[in-house]
């Protein structure tokens, strides 16, 4: 599993639950090199639940965008609310059982 450092959370009402934007430099930290990836998104769960795969996930896309500031993650307000009142988050990327990687958005 690879993870980013602490990223500032920017919740936007115009995003849907299936869209996550980060800067390419932050994507490099978790091994992402191309502009978009389809992943299973787990938001607001514990690392133990994520490791066990015992919580519900959403299929979505993580985009690497130069327009996104370094050190921030942009997501929907609904996804941001799942993190509680956290203003910072860490992204953890793990290989999945199928062709889709698993992305944990962990509130800090």
């Amino acid at each position: 599993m690879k993870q980013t450092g602490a990223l500032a959370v920017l919740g936007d009402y115009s995003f849907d639950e299936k869209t996550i934007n980060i800067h390419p430099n932050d994507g490099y930290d978790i091994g992402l090199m191309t502009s978009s990836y389809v992943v299973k998104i787990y938001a607001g769960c514990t690392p133990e639940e994520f490791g066990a795969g015992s919580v519900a996930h959403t299929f979505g896309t993580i985009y690497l965008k130069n327009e996104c500031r370094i050190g921030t993650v942009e997501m929907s307000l609904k996804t941001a609310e799942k993190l509680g009142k956290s203003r910072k988050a860490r992204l953890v990327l793990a290989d999945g059982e199928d062709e889709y990687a698993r992305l944990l958005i962990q509130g800090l």
Side-chain angles (χ1 to χ4, degrees):
M1 288 192 291
K2 296 180 182 180
Q3 64 184 13
T4 65
L7 303 175
V9 174
L10 294 176
D12 191 332
Y13 67 89
S14 66
F15 281 43
D16 64 2
E17 277 188 87
K18 301 175 183 194
T19 302
I20 306 290
N21 289 344
I22 60 173
H23 190 275
N25 290 354
D26 296 320
Y28 180 79
D29 292 344
I30 54 177
L32 303 179
M33 301 295 221
T34 59
S35 61
S36 66
Y37 292 86
V38 176
V39 293
K40 294 178 182 177
I41 300 172
Y42 296 81
C45 63
T46 66
E48 293 78 23
E49 292 170 330
F50 174 69
S54 61
V55 293
H57 65 273
T58 302
F59 278 97
T61 306
I62 183 166
Y63 295 97
L64 306 183
K65 295 194 171 237
N66 285 317
E67 299 82 23
C68 184
R69 294 179 58 201
I70 293 176
T72 62
V73 56
E74 298 174 347
M75 63 183 74
S76 73
L77 283 176
K78 187 171 181 179
T79 303
E81 288 171 0
K82 289 181 183 178
L83 304 177
K85 298 194 183 276
S86 298
R87 294 184 163 265
K88 298 249 181 212
R90 173 177 291 123
L91 303 183
V92 179
L93 190 69
D95 292 333
E97 297 80 37
D98 50 15
E99 68 266 18
Y100 301 106
R102 299 180 308 134
L103 179 73
L104 170 63
I105 304 172
Q106 180 182 18
L108 300 176

